[in-house]
Structures are given as C-alpha cells and as structure tokens.
Amino acid sequence: LVFFICESIPKPFSGILALVTVGLYLSATGKTKISTKVEHSLHSVVGWTQYAAETLIFLIAGVIVGVKVFASESSITGADWGKMVGFFFLTIICRGLTVLFIAFFINRGNYKLGWKEFLVMTYGGLKGALGLALALIVSNTHEFSSQGEHKRAGELILFYMAGTATLSLLI
C-alpha cells in the first residue's frame, strides 16, 4: 500500500525507499506490538503469502519467457544460450570474490567465516523471484518493449535472468 501511494502522488516518491523505511520502522518498534499468542500464526500466514507470491512470479516469468524465447520472431540465438551459461558462472565467480573481500573484514572481528559459510554465501544471492520480477519490469518498460535494438536488449535481460534462476535451481 505504501509503495502504491508513494508512486501515484503527483510528485512521486520512491516506493522502494518508502517500503525500506517502513520496514526499518516496524523492525525497530513493531516486534513488541505483536502478541506472543498470534506470533506463530502471523509468521505462518506471512510465510505462505511469500511462497504464493514467489510461485506466481515464477509462473508468470516462465510463461512470458517461453513465449518470447520460443516465438518465431524471437531474437535469441544459439550464441545467447552459451553466453547465458557463461554469465551464470561469471556471476558465481564475482560473488565469490566479493565474499572473499568481505570475509577479510568479518574474520578480523569476533566471528570467523569458515569455508562452508564461504560456499553458502557465494552460491546464494539474487537469482530467484526478486531477480525475475525486476527483469520482467525492465523488459516490459516502454524503452525495452519497442522495436529495434532496445527490444532485443529487453529480451536478453529477461532471458539471462530466467536462465540464471533456472540454472541455480538445477545445479
């Protein structure tokens, strides 16, 4: 609700920043307002809602990617499939380097990052429903849905993100 209010007023505010602000406020003050009797039930409802939303995003993204990639007028080529696999592994390598850099600072404190935690942090990341939702938004904006080279860029953004999400589930 906060997102839509901020995005729909005449001088729009960032809906994302508003949601982050509300989240920070509720995490600081809201936890004490929830009764311990309903906390488990609320957690179950929120968990189910999150699961349903992710499933819906994967379903929508799958249908849209299937239509765009396998359509006769698709601009996705065989080389793009190879690049998608390469981007997937490049993403994991970049995450590994980032975690290695951050591990230096983490290990200087009281917490020690072992190799198991390093692998989990490297393989985990933005490659699921959130990435697909962002790719769907970007590929369906006016700039990327029109004809020409920009349309191909929109198709590639969605194709590469869907491929990364699929490969992360399969590998």
PDB file of all heavy atoms in Angstrom, residues 72-92:
ATOM      1  N   SER A  72       8.471 -17.289 -32.985  1.00  0.00           N
ATOM      2  CA  SER A  72       9.163 -17.279 -34.275  1.00  0.00           C
ATOM      3  C   SER A  72       9.912 -15.964 -34.507  1.00  0.00           C
ATOM      4  O   SER A  72      10.919 -15.952 -35.203  1.00  0.00           O
ATOM      5  CB  SER A  72       8.158 -17.509 -35.406  1.00  0.00           C
ATOM      6  OG  SER A  72       7.179 -16.492 -35.398  1.00  0.00           O
ATOM      7  N   GLU A  73       9.456 -14.861 -33.899  1.00  0.00           N
ATOM      8  CA  GLU A  73      10.128 -13.581 -34.104  1.00  0.00           C
ATOM      9  C   GLU A  73      11.143 -13.273 -32.997  1.00  0.00           C
ATOM     10  O   GLU A  73      11.622 -12.150 -32.875  1.00  0.00           O
ATOM     11  CB  GLU A  73       9.116 -12.434 -34.206  1.00  0.00           C
ATOM     12  CG  GLU A  73       8.358 -12.127 -32.932  1.00  0.00           C
ATOM     13  CD  GLU A  73       7.088 -12.958 -32.775  1.00  0.00           C
ATOM     14  OE1 GLU A  73       6.737 -13.731 -33.672  1.00  0.00           O
ATOM     15  OE2 GLU A  73       6.433 -12.812 -31.739  1.00  0.00           O
ATOM     16  N   SER A  74      11.513 -14.264 -32.208  1.00  0.00           N
ATOM     17  CA  SER A  74      12.479 -14.076 -31.125  1.00  0.00           C
ATOM     18  C   SER A  74      13.864 -13.775 -31.683  1.00  0.00           C
ATOM     19  O   SER A  74      14.275 -14.319 -32.709  1.00  0.00           O
ATOM     20  CB  SER A  74      12.539 -15.322 -30.248  1.00  0.00           C
ATOM     21  OG  SER A  74      13.565 -15.196 -29.298  1.00  0.00           O
ATOM     22  N   SER A  75      14.581 -12.918 -30.988  1.00  0.00           N
ATOM     23  CA  SER A  75      15.932 -12.573 -31.422  1.00  0.00           C
ATOM     24  C   SER A  75      16.997 -13.358 -30.656  1.00  0.00           C
ATOM     25  O   SER A  75      18.183 -13.114 -30.818  1.00  0.00           O
ATOM     26  CB  SER A  75      16.169 -11.070 -31.240  1.00  0.00           C
ATOM     27  OG  SER A  75      16.091 -10.734 -29.868  1.00  0.00           O
ATOM     28  N   ILE A  76      16.590 -14.311 -29.815  1.00  0.00           N
ATOM     29  CA  ILE A  76      17.523 -15.131 -29.033  1.00  0.00           C
ATOM     30  C   ILE A  76      18.169 -16.150 -29.970  1.00  0.00           C
ATOM     31  O   ILE A  76      17.493 -16.887 -30.673  1.00  0.00           O
ATOM     32  CB  ILE A  76      16.798 -15.849 -27.882  1.00  0.00           C
ATOM     33  CG1 ILE A  76      16.047 -14.866 -26.989  1.00  0.00           C
ATOM     34  CG2 ILE A  76      17.772 -16.703 -27.067  1.00  0.00           C
ATOM     35  CD1 ILE A  76      16.912 -13.857 -26.286  1.00  0.00           C
ATOM     36  N   THR A  77      19.512 -16.168 -29.962  1.00  0.00           N
ATOM     37  CA  THR A  77      20.254 -17.073 -30.846  1.00  0.00           C
ATOM     38  C   THR A  77      20.973 -18.142 -30.018  1.00  0.00           C
ATOM     39  O   THR A  77      20.965 -18.101 -28.787  1.00  0.00           O
ATOM     40  CB  THR A  77      21.302 -16.277 -31.652  1.00  0.00           C
ATOM     41  OG1 THR A  77      22.255 -15.720 -30.734  1.00  0.00           O
ATOM     42  CG2 THR A  77      20.659 -15.159 -32.458  1.00  0.00           C
ATOM     43  N   GLY A  78      21.611 -19.053 -30.695  1.00  0.00           N
ATOM     44  CA  GLY A  78      22.383 -20.090 -30.019  1.00  0.00           C
ATOM     45  C   GLY A  78      23.536 -19.513 -29.215  1.00  0.00           C
ATOM     46  O   GLY A  78      23.878 -20.020 -28.146  1.00  0.00           O
ATOM     47  N   ALA A  79      24.144 -18.461 -29.731  1.00  0.00           N
ATOM     48  CA  ALA A  79      25.235 -17.809 -29.001  1.00  0.00           C
ATOM     49  C   ALA A  79      24.734 -17.215 -27.688  1.00  0.00           C
ATOM     50  O   ALA A  79      25.469 -17.201 -26.691  1.00  0.00           O
ATOM     51  CB  ALA A  79      25.859 -16.719 -29.863  1.00  0.00           C
ATOM     52  N   ASP A  80      23.489 -16.744 -27.658  1.00  0.00           N
ATOM     53  CA  ASP A  80      22.921 -16.191 -26.426  1.00  0.00           C
ATOM     54  C   ASP A  80      22.774 -17.272 -25.354  1.00  0.00           C
ATOM     55  O   ASP A  80      22.945 -17.001 -24.171  1.00  0.00           O
ATOM     56  CB  ASP A  80      21.566 -15.537 -26.697  1.00  0.00           C
ATOM     57  CG  ASP A  80      21.678 -14.319 -27.592  1.00  0.00           C
ATOM     58  OD1 ASP A  80      22.717 -13.630 -27.517  1.00  0.00           O
ATOM     59  OD2 ASP A  80      20.739 -14.065 -28.365  1.00  0.00           O
ATOM     60  N   TRP A  81      22.455 -18.495 -25.771  1.00  0.00           N
ATOM     61  CA  TRP A  81      22.359 -19.612 -24.814  1.00  0.00           C
ATOM     62  C   TRP A  81      23.732 -19.875 -24.178  1.00  0.00           C
ATOM     63  O   TRP A  81      23.837 -20.092 -22.975  1.00  0.00           O
ATOM     64  CB  TRP A  81      21.837 -20.869 -25.500  1.00  0.00           C
ATOM     65  CG  TRP A  81      20.376 -20.808 -25.813  1.00  0.00           C
ATOM     66  CD1 TRP A  81      19.802 -20.267 -26.921  1.00  0.00           C
ATOM     67  CD2 TRP A  81      19.313 -21.298 -25.004  1.00  0.00           C
ATOM     68  NE1 TRP A  81      18.433 -20.386 -26.851  1.00  0.00           N
ATOM     69  CE2 TRP A  81      18.117 -21.026 -25.680  1.00  0.00           C
ATOM     70  CE3 TRP A  81      19.252 -21.944 -23.774  1.00  0.00           C
ATOM     71  CZ2 TRP A  81      16.871 -21.365 -25.175  1.00  0.00           C
ATOM     72  CZ3 TRP A  81      18.014 -22.296 -23.273  1.00  0.00           C
ATOM     73  CH2 TRP A  81      16.832 -22.000 -23.962  1.00  0.00           C
ATOM     74  N   GLY A  82      24.780 -19.851 -24.988  1.00  0.00           N
ATOM     75  CA  GLY A  82      26.127 -20.038 -24.460  1.00  0.00           C
ATOM     76  C   GLY A  82      26.529 -18.908 -23.531  1.00  0.00           C
ATOM     77  O   GLY A  82      27.152 -19.129 -22.483  1.00  0.00           O
ATOM     78  N   LYS A  83      26.191 -17.679 -23.914  1.00  0.00           N
ATOM     79  CA  LYS A  83      26.503 -16.528 -23.059  1.00  0.00           C
ATOM     80  C   LYS A  83      25.765 -16.624 -21.728  1.00  0.00           C
ATOM     81  O   LYS A  83      26.302 -16.230 -20.687  1.00  0.00           O
ATOM     82  CB  LYS A  83      26.126 -15.226 -23.768  1.00  0.00           C
ATOM     83  CG  LYS A  83      27.037 -14.853 -24.909  1.00  0.00           C
ATOM     84  CD  LYS A  83      26.554 -13.578 -25.570  1.00  0.00           C
ATOM     85  CE  LYS A  83      27.341 -13.259 -26.816  1.00  0.00           C
ATOM     86  NZ  LYS A  83      26.810 -12.076 -27.509  1.00  0.00           N
ATOM     87  N   MET A  84      24.526 -17.130 -21.762  1.00  0.00           N
ATOM     88  CA  MET A  84      23.754 -17.262 -20.534  1.00  0.00           C
ATOM     89  C   MET A  84      24.471 -18.178 -19.546  1.00  0.00           C
ATOM     90  O   MET A  84      24.603 -17.852 -18.361  1.00  0.00           O
ATOM     91  CB  MET A  84      22.359 -17.810 -20.811  1.00  0.00           C
ATOM     92  CG  MET A  84      21.554 -18.032 -19.553  1.00  0.00           C
ATOM     93  SD  MET A  84      20.118 -19.082 -19.729  1.00  0.00           S
ATOM     94  CE  MET A  84      20.708 -20.483 -20.593  1.00  0.00           C
ATOM     95  N   VAL A  85      24.977 -19.309 -20.016  1.00  0.00           N
ATOM     96  CA  VAL A  85      25.711 -20.228 -19.143  1.00  0.00           C
ATOM     97  C   VAL A  85      26.994 -19.565 -18.646  1.00  0.00           C
ATOM     98  O   VAL A  85      27.345 -19.659 -17.459  1.00  0.00           O
ATOM     99  CB  VAL A  85      26.008 -21.559 -19.883  1.00  0.00           C
ATOM    100  CG1 VAL A  85      26.905 -22.456 -19.055  1.00  0.00           C
ATOM    101  CG2 VAL A  85      24.709 -22.267 -20.240  1.00  0.00           C
ATOM    102  N   GLY A  86      27.671 -18.855 -19.531  1.00  0.00           N
ATOM    103  CA  GLY A  86      28.879 -18.138 -19.131  1.00  0.00           C
ATOM    104  C   GLY A  86      28.594 -17.073 -18.095  1.00  0.00           C
ATOM    105  O   GLY A  86      29.345 -16.920 -17.116  1.00  0.00           O
ATOM    106  N   PHE A  87      27.498 -16.320 -18.267  1.00  0.00           N
ATOM    107  CA  PHE A  87      27.123 -15.296 -17.296  1.00  0.00           C
ATOM    108  C   PHE A  87      26.793 -15.915 -15.941  1.00  0.00           C
ATOM    109  O   PHE A  87      27.083 -15.344 -14.895  1.00  0.00           O
ATOM    110  CB  PHE A  87      25.938 -14.469 -17.792  1.00  0.00           C
ATOM    111  CG  PHE A  87      26.283 -13.489 -18.865  1.00  0.00           C
ATOM    112  CD1 PHE A  87      25.367 -13.174 -19.854  1.00  0.00           C
ATOM    113  CD2 PHE A  87      27.516 -12.862 -18.901  1.00  0.00           C
ATOM    114  CE1 PHE A  87      25.671 -12.272 -20.847  1.00  0.00           C
ATOM    115  CE2 PHE A  87      27.834 -11.954 -19.888  1.00  0.00           C
ATOM    116  CZ  PHE A  87      26.905 -11.656 -20.869  1.00  0.00           C
ATOM    117  N   PHE A  88      26.168 -17.087 -15.962  1.00  0.00           N
ATOM    118  CA  PHE A  88      25.837 -17.768 -14.711  1.00  0.00           C
ATOM    119  C   PHE A  88      27.109 -18.055 -13.909  1.00  0.00           C
ATOM    120  O   PHE A  88      27.197 -17.743 -12.727  1.00  0.00           O
ATOM    121  CB  PHE A  88      25.073 -19.061 -15.002  1.00  0.00           C
ATOM    122  CG  PHE A  88      24.850 -19.912 -13.784  1.00  0.00           C
ATOM    123  CD1 PHE A  88      23.920 -19.544 -12.832  1.00  0.00           C
ATOM    124  CD2 PHE A  88      25.573 -21.076 -13.597  1.00  0.00           C
ATOM    125  CE1 PHE A  88      23.714 -20.318 -11.708  1.00  0.00           C
ATOM    126  CE2 PHE A  88      25.372 -21.857 -12.478  1.00  0.00           C
ATOM    127  CZ  PHE A  88      24.439 -21.476 -11.530  1.00  0.00           C
ATOM    128  N   PHE A  89      28.106 -18.637 -14.564  1.00  0.00           N
ATOM    129  CA  PHE A  89      29.350 -18.958 -13.862  1.00  0.00           C
ATOM    130  C   PHE A  89      30.140 -17.691 -13.512  1.00  0.00           C
ATOM    131  O   PHE A  89      30.774 -17.627 -12.455  1.00  0.00           O
ATOM    132  CB  PHE A  89      30.189 -19.944 -14.670  1.00  0.00           C
ATOM    133  CG  PHE A  89      29.593 -21.313 -14.693  1.00  0.00           C
ATOM    134  CD1 PHE A  89      29.050 -21.837 -15.860  1.00  0.00           C
ATOM    135  CD2 PHE A  89      29.541 -22.090 -13.543  1.00  0.00           C
ATOM    136  CE1 PHE A  89      28.482 -23.101 -15.876  1.00  0.00           C
ATOM    137  CE2 PHE A  89      28.972 -23.349 -13.547  1.00  0.00           C
ATOM    138  CZ  PHE A  89      28.443 -23.861 -14.710  1.00  0.00           C
ATOM    139  N   LEU A  90      30.085 -16.682 -14.368  1.00  0.00           N
ATOM    140  CA  LEU A  90      30.741 -15.409 -14.066  1.00  0.00           C
ATOM    141  C   LEU A  90      30.112 -14.752 -12.839  1.00  0.00           C
ATOM    142  O   LEU A  90      30.819 -14.174 -11.998  1.00  0.00           O
ATOM    143  CB  LEU A  90      30.659 -14.474 -15.275  1.00  0.00           C
ATOM    144  CG  LEU A  90      31.332 -13.118 -15.124  1.00  0.00           C
ATOM    145  CD1 LEU A  90      32.843 -13.289 -14.969  1.00  0.00           C
ATOM    146  CD2 LEU A  90      31.015 -12.245 -16.321  1.00  0.00           C
ATOM    147  N   THR A  91      28.802 -14.867 -12.713  1.00  0.00           N
ATOM    148  CA  THR A  91      28.105 -14.325 -11.552  1.00  0.00           C
ATOM    149  C   THR A  91      28.579 -15.002 -10.276  1.00  0.00           C
ATOM    150  O   THR A  91      28.826 -14.348  -9.259  1.00  0.00           O
ATOM    151  CB  THR A  91      26.579 -14.505 -11.710  1.00  0.00           C
ATOM    152  OG1 THR A  91      26.154 -13.847 -12.896  1.00  0.00           O
ATOM    153  CG2 THR A  91      25.825 -13.954 -10.522  1.00  0.00           C
ATOM    154  N   ILE A  92      28.726 -16.317 -10.318  1.00  0.00           N
ATOM    155  CA  ILE A  92      29.186 -17.052  -9.135  1.00  0.00           C
ATOM    156  C   ILE A  92      30.627 -16.662  -8.797  1.00  0.00           C
ATOM    157  O   ILE A  92      30.982 -16.481  -7.619  1.00  0.00           O
ATOM    158  CB  ILE A  92      29.035 -18.563  -9.341  1.00  0.00           C
ATOM    159  CG1 ILE A  92      27.550 -18.915  -9.389  1.00  0.00           C
ATOM    160  CG2 ILE A  92      29.742 -19.339  -8.238  1.00  0.00           C
ATOM    161  CD1 ILE A  92      27.256 -20.358  -9.666  1.00  0.00           C
TER     162      ILE A  92
END
